[in-house]
Amino acid sequence: MNEYLKHNDWCIIEEGFNPDNQRSSESIFSLGNGHIGQRANFEEKYSGDSLQGNYIAGIYYPDKTKVGWWKNGYPEYFAKVLNAPNWIGINIFVGKKELDLSKVKVENFRRVLNMKEGYLERSFTAEFDNENIIEVTSKRFISITENELGCIKYEIKSINVNDKITIVPYIDADVINEDSNYQEKFWEELSIESKPGEAYITAKTKKLDFHVCTSMKFNIEKNKTEINDDIKEEQKKKYIAQSIELDLKPDDIITVYKYAAITNSENHNKETLMMAAHNVLQKSYEKGFEKLFAEHANAWKNKWTDSDIVIEGDVAAQQAIRFNIFQLYQTYTGDDEKLNIGPKGFTGEKYGGSTYWDTEAYCLPFYLRTSDKKVARNLLLYRYRHLPKAIENAEKLGFTNGAALYPMVTMNGEECHNEWEITFEEIHRNGAIAYAIYNYTRYTGDESYLEDYGLEVLIAISRFWAQRFNFSQEKNKYVMLGVTGPNEYENNVNNNWYTSTIALWCLDYTLKSITKIQTLTPEKYKKLKGKISFNELKEVGIWTNILDKAYLPENEELGIFLQQDGYMDKELINAIDLDPKERPINQKWSWDRILRSCFIKQADVLQGIYLFEENYDLDTLKRNFDFYEPKTVHESSLSPCIHNILAAKLGYKEKAYDLYLRTARLDIDDYNDEVNEGLHITSMAGTYLSIVEGFGGMRLKNEELHFNPFIPEKWKLYSFIVKYRENHIKIEVTKEKIVVMNQNGETAKVFIRGVEYNIKERESIEFYCN
């Protein structure tokens, strides 16, 4: 763990500059608005260790998969999230000396990510080797009101300098991905155009022909007076800079306002990209930095009104949950159904792709509870539009008759994950997509999605499961062989309990959905049958037979579900007995050793119990939790939140709190020693669920809201708001009482610890604790 960041309710604060923390801070202090984003690289030159990263949603590179062998169905490429042209750059020269924080003496360094208003601020004093000293303050934000705009205010104060200063704003499209094969660069220059104080670079990707125009417009003030001195220009391949030289005396203050517009061919015609960028720049320049920021900050205020979680008495916990919510909203806004939620968002290159099963399993529940239902619906429509590709993916693996296998990782519906055991075997992702349809429908009451889109997806997924099971003569049961469950520390196993359980649930849910749609909209059902050539009698018969005769591994002596066949053959030891020097094992052990161990990367059996907990009594949950949780190393970011929710239900309050801190502060404290690669965006939604479903005990039963809250020992109070259909329900919990308010909507029926309450709009009830 790395605990160099200060605890604060609304800010992430770093004091003092330590180059060893730079990459981690670049991830943690990242900015984004759902369309563009960037790591917290410095505006001025930095020649120390750094991972430069600017990113544009939906823009990627299909890097050809290179392996020493090939198998039928293997993905043809790995989709790399592209490092896009750099727009933040402002080089500074004091006299002949360049400002470079790896070469000057840095003091009073402070970096602040203000989550309440959505900006990054940095200040420091730099002393050059000739003893010249300047003080720098920078503030930047990526606008959530203008989704193609980034703004910087960069201020330099002379402490003792009596010399020339040169300011050099620039755009650099000559960038590279750190994970590039053979140091290949992915961008080609199309054009560079400029005039004083304004510049444009239009570039395209070498494959897929994405076009991006990155532009800047700036003005400079000296002691609050605008400077109109001559601007010199430097232009080279994929790069343009403009510079101004000024006299600098002690106490002089130079302020640079830099505006950047980033437009792309996913949202504009290629021929009009530069004009679109110009329009954004001109409008922004006329408004000015302060007005743009005020609009941006007000938009953030509105977001927090619906989603904030308040914790009193535990600053570390408060800071953490706000950080997670903030990063989720920076990554995805739900206003463009072409986009999805990458596991690193706009914070790093690792993993590639924009869509994992994390979206449906973790993120969709967060947006259901905090946003308009159209946000979650757009996530589902994204998958519906990829259904033809999912069918094509399944065909490559030998499946027929419209069976669909959604990709583990994708940008456009094609599988682009290049690890065999995940690409071919981690098929439980199909179940997450089906469960998301169920989750959305029951939570919103929007049956129209199931009628118009969802049932078609469910039938295609069920066709896959029906072919993926096979009948074992020995067991006289249907079995599922050669899979990898959510626990990726075991590959190519037979009868993974979670995978088989969610597959069977999918078949059952599809059958129920068919009956529902037949009744509600028989004409739509008839049309769908013709469209997909659905042989109802034959296919439903097969599915029913599988449901009747499926094999699920159990250990009757212990009363637990077996993670998979053969799990009990392993040496069964607990994670607490591992030498701390060998953690995390995914960085210290060989893969062979991991696969032979009993250690679990993330919830597997417990993931299934979490999803379908209404099917299991408390004793069953306890036996499985007590057996599996001690063997879980939580080296997946998706793990602690599920364990937190189940621990809370079991009354393991201290365990639930410890797991909450692990999931909530996973990146801030760098539990897994990997935050330098980027943040764990999708698991951050699980942090929200840890409070709402864990400590708050929220469940939806028979389309009615239930809460069973408790408060961790360290906390004085916590509160959260959930949107449920037309109601906004606020829950506030202290050690003495629970207060439930219906902030908006008609009378709401709410169950608190099993007691029914009907709460009128703008009224509240109080439930006193013992």
Side-chain angles (χ1 to χ4, degrees):
M1 287 173 59
N2 193 348
E3 300 180 68
Y4 66 94
L5 301 169
K6 306 296 181 184
H7 290 181
N8 182 279
D9 284 354
W10 275 107
C11 296
I12 308 296
I13 301 171
E14 178 183 8
E15 292 181 344
F17 181 57
N18 182 350
D20 292 341
N21 293 330
Q22 178 59 11
R23 281 201 178 212
S24 297
S25 291
E26 287 175 342
S27 299
I28 291 167
F29 290 83
S30 294
L31 293 176
N33 67 359
H35 297 266
I36 57 176
Q38 63 189 191
R39 290 170 61 81
N41 308 119
F42 296 156
E43 290 90 356
E44 67 277 349
K45 181 178 179 180
Y46 181 65
S47 59
D49 185 41
S50 171
L51 174 59
Q52 182 183 307
N54 286 270
Y55 309 102
I56 304 168
I59 305 297
Y60 67 101
Y61 188 82
D63 202 16
K64 181 72 173 175
T65 299
K66 290 186 178 294
V67 291
W69 43 265
W70 201 268
K71 300 289 185 183
N72 287 335
Y74 203 73
E76 296 181 2
Y77 64 88
F78 179 72
K80 290 189 171 169
V81 175
L82 277 186
N83 183 16
N86 175 19
W87 59 266
I88 67 172
I90 305 173
N91 286 337
I92 306 295
F93 295 84
V94 178
K96 300 295 183 183
K97 303 289 185 179
E98 184 171 22
L99 177 59
D100 180 341
L101 266 62
S102 72
K103 295 181 178 179
V104 299
K105 182 180 178 182
V106 179
E107 293 185 331
N108 305 315
F109 182 92
R110 195 168 192 265
R111 178 163 26 193
V112 178
L113 181 67
N114 185 305
M115 299 177 289
K116 191 172 189 177
E117 297 184 321
Y119 67 88
L120 172 62
E121 192 166 54
R122 186 169 53 100
S123 59
F124 60 89
T125 300
E127 182 176 347
F128 297 85
D129 57 13
N130 60 6
E131 298 185 351
N132 275 340
I133 302 174
I134 59 172
E135 185 178 278
V136 174
T137 302
S138 70
K139 180 178 179 178
R140 75 176 185 245
F141 65 95
I142 295 178
S143 175
I144 59 169
T145 57
E146 301 287 342
N147 59 31
E148 297 170 322
L149 176 68
C151 303
I152 301 171
K153 179 182 180 181
Y154 192 91
E155 192 169 86
I156 307 127
K157 179 179 180 180
S158 168
I159 303 302
N160 66 348
V161 178
N162 193 348
D163 204 338
K164 298 288 187 182
I165 183 170
T166 306
I167 316 293
V168 191
Y170 66 87
I171 302 171
D172 184 9
D174 191 23
V175 295
I176 189 169
N177 272 47
E178 189 171 64
D179 65 356
S180 170
N181 291 324
Y182 316 115
Q183 296 298 297
E184 179 185 9
K185 294 182 178 180
F186 301 137
W187 293 95
E188 293 179 346
E189 176 190 311
L190 293 175
S191 67
I192 295 181
E193 298 192 32
S194 67
K195 61 182 180 181
E198 195 170 336
Y200 303 80
I201 295 181
T202 303
K204 72 167 189 170
T205 56
K206 289 183 178 179
K207 294 180 182 177
L208 301 185
D209 201 35
F210 292 114
H211 287 212
V212 171
C213 180
T214 306
S215 61
M216 69 174 181
K217 190 175 179 69
F218 65 89
N219 64 300
I220 297 175
E221 295 177 355
K222 180 178 178 181
N223 300 326
K224 298 187 178 181
T225 299
E226 187 161 353
I227 300 299
N228 295 303
D229 289 31
D230 289 341
I231 294 178
K232 295 180 181 178
E233 185 172 291
E234 177 191 357
Q235 188 177 137
K236 55 187 178 182
K237 188 175 182 181
K238 295 191 277 190
Y239 176 91
I240 185 167
Q242 296 183 355
S243 63
I244 296 180
E245 185 180 80
L246 303 170
D247 291 322
L248 187 65
K249 293 181 171 58
D251 294 325
D252 281 347
I253 297 176
I254 308 293
T255 306
V256 183
Y257 294 98
K258 183 177 182 182
Y259 308 90
I262 300 94
T263 55
N264 70 78
S265 54
E266 290 292 276
N267 301 315
H268 301 277
N269 292 328
K270 292 174 182 176
E271 297 76 18
T272 62
L273 276 185
M274 196 183 87
M275 180 55 67
H278 170 78
N279 291 340
V280 173
L281 284 181
Q282 191 60 34
K283 177 182 174 184
S284 304
Y285 189 82
E286 290 171 0
K287 280 188 177 181
F289 184 91
E290 299 303 336
K291 186 174 181 181
L292 289 165
F293 175 70
E295 293 173 350
H296 167 80
N298 188 59
W300 269 110
K301 179 181 177 181
N302 292 335
K303 283 187 178 293
W304 285 116
T305 297
D306 290 337
S307 64
D308 189 24
I309 291 178
V310 175
I311 298 172
E312 293 181 6
D314 189 344
V315 178
Q318 177 67 89
Q319 180 187 47
I321 187 59
R322 283 180 172 148
F323 177 72
N324 285 268
I325 293 171
F326 178 70
Q327 293 294 351
L328 282 162
Y329 277 128
Q330 287 202 128
T331 303
Y332 185 75
T333 60
D335 58 1
D336 187 342
E337 64 189 47
K338 300 191 301 296
L339 302 179
N340 209 281
I341 307 162
K344 293 295 181 189
F346 299 115
T347 73
E349 302 171 4
K350 190 178 178 183
Y351 295 132
S354 73
T355 313
Y356 283 57
W357 73 289
D358 311 17
T359 290
E360 284 76 23
Y362 293 82
C363 298
L364 185 133
F366 166 76
Y367 289 105
L368 276 174
R369 290 159 174 78
T370 62
S371 305
D372 188 273
K373 71 178 182 181
K374 69 181 180 183
V375 175
R377 186 181 174 95
N378 274 347
L379 288 172
L380 295 180
L381 285 170
Y382 178 93
R383 290 294 197 178
Y384 176 76
R385 286 178 170 76
H386 286 177
L387 179 58
K389 287 289 186 183
I391 292 171
E392 186 179 309
N393 292 335
E395 287 173 348
K396 291 177 181 177
L397 302 185
F399 295 88
T400 60
N401 190 37
L405 176 59
Y406 276 91
M408 187 66 185
V409 181
T410 193
M411 293 295 297
N412 65 355
E414 293 178 301
E415 178 64 75
C416 60
H417 196 288
N418 60 359
E419 293 181 38
W420 171 272
E421 66 276 8
I422 292 175
T423 304
F424 292 89
E425 295 183 347
E426 203 164 336
I427 54 176
H428 65 83
R429 68 230 192 202
N430 253 10
I433 290 163
Y435 192 85
I437 296 170
Y438 163 74
N439 216 358
Y440 170 83
T441 304
R442 68 173 181 148
Y443 198 85
T444 65
D446 180 10
E447 298 287 357
S448 69
Y449 182 82
L450 186 63
E451 297 169 10
D452 296 333
Y453 309 105
L455 183 59
E456 185 176 351
V457 172
L458 291 174
I459 290 174
I461 287 174
S462 293
R463 284 170 161 175
F464 172 83
W465 290 128
Q467 295 174 51
R468 192 58 173 78
F469 279 105
N470 66 273
F471 190 75
S472 165
Q473 296 290 343
E474 180 183 347
K475 288 184 169 62
N476 196 33
K477 295 278 187 179
Y478 283 93
V479 298
M480 191 176 297
L481 310 178
V483 301
T484 296
N487 171 33
E488 295 169 341
Y489 284 178
E490 298 192 89
N491 305 148
N492 199 34
V493 302
N494 293 335
N495 299 306
N496 172 259
W497 185 87
Y498 173 78
T499 304
S500 296
T501 295
I502 201 164
L504 294 170
W505 174 86
C506 285
L507 292 173
D508 183 62
Y509 177 54
T510 303
L511 292 173
K512 291 175 180 175
S513 297
I514 288 171
T515 299
K516 178 183 287 187
I517 301 308
Q518 279 178 322
T519 304
L520 291 176
T521 56
E523 288 304 313
K524 286 184 179 180
Y525 177 68
K526 182 179 179 181
K527 185 178 179 181
L528 176 61
K529 279 183 64 177
K531 176 183 177 182
I532 63 175
S533 302
F534 182 48
N535 187 330
E536 183 180 341
L537 184 64
K538 179 181 178 182
E539 295 188 60
V540 166
I542 292 171
W543 301 351
T544 303
N545 197 34
I546 292 171
L547 286 167
D548 288 343
K549 296 182 178 180
Y551 167 72
L552 293 170
E554 295 185 40
N555 184 300
E556 294 182 3
E557 182 179 347
L558 296 176
I560 62 170
F561 305 121
L562 271 186
Q563 187 152 283
Q564 72 271 332
D565 287 350
Y567 183 79
M568 300 302 291
D569 294 333
K570 294 172 178 284
E571 181 184 8
L572 299 177
I573 57 178
N574 292 335
I576 197 172
D577 298 322
L578 282 168
D579 185 340
K581 294 178 182 177
E582 296 191 357
R583 302 286 298 272
I585 63 174
N586 63 13
Q587 298 176 27
K588 304 295 177 65
W589 286 13
S590 70
W591 195 245
D592 169 72
R593 186 180 179 188
I594 289 173
L595 292 178
R596 288 186 287 107
S597 79
C598 71
F599 297 118
I600 300 168
K601 182 183 181 185
Q602 70 185 81
D604 197 316
V605 167
L606 298 179
Q607 182 88 28
I609 293 176
Y610 162 70
L611 290 180
F612 309 117
E613 67 171 29
E614 67 274 9
N615 297 333
Y616 310 107
D617 60 29
L618 205 60
D619 286 341
T620 300
L621 168 58
K622 185 177 187 303
R623 289 193 301 271
N624 282 277
F625 187 93
D626 291 348
F627 181 79
Y628 284 113
E629 198 283 330
K631 298 168 181 61
T632 304
V633 289
H634 298 297
E635 288 173 12
S636 165
S637 64
L638 302 175
S639 185
C641 59
I642 299 300
H643 287 83
N644 157 278
I645 294 166
L646 297 179
K649 181 170 182 177
L650 288 168
Y652 296 169
K653 296 182 180 181
E654 187 174 345
K655 169 66 77 173
Y657 176 76
D658 290 343
L659 287 163
Y660 165 75
L661 281 186
R662 177 162 185 137
T663 186
R665 297 191 66 85
L666 176 72
D667 289 322
I668 299 176
D669 292 340
D670 201 8
Y671 273 88
N672 289 344
D673 193 26
E674 58 186 9
V675 76
N676 59 305
E677 300 171 330
L679 304 178
H680 296 84
I681 300 297
T682 48
S683 74
M684 290 177 171
T687 302
Y688 172 89
L689 297 177
S690 291
I691 291 181
V692 174
E693 294 185 4
F695 303 139
M698 176 187 164
R699 299 293 189 274
L700 191 62
K701 301 176 183 178
N702 300 318
E703 299 192 0
E704 295 172 335
L705 284 178
H706 289 247
F707 297 92
N708 186 24
F710 76 89
I711 186 166
E713 188 64 32
K714 285 187 68 174
W715 297 3
K716 295 179 180 178
L717 174 150
Y718 71 94
S719 68
F720 60 84
I721 298 168
V722 294
K723 291 185 175 182
Y724 179 61
R725 302 192 181 180
E726 302 306 317
N727 292 106
H728 295 188
I729 307 297
K730 181 177 180 179
I731 308 291
E732 183 177 284
V733 184
T734 66
K735 289 180 171 60
E736 293 77 32
K737 63 182 178 180
I738 302 162
V739 180
V740 185
M741 174 180 284
N742 181 7
Q743 293 187 326
N744 184 61
E746 296 180 355
T747 299
K749 182 191 292 187
V750 177
F751 291 80
I752 306 296
R753 294 183 176 173
V755 179
E756 178 183 331
Y757 296 90
N758 291 283
I759 312 172
K760 295 179 180 179
E761 185 176 25
R762 300 192 182 280
E763 290 189 356
S764 63
I765 60 102
E766 294 184 354
F767 184 102
Y768 287 87
C769 307
N770 299 326

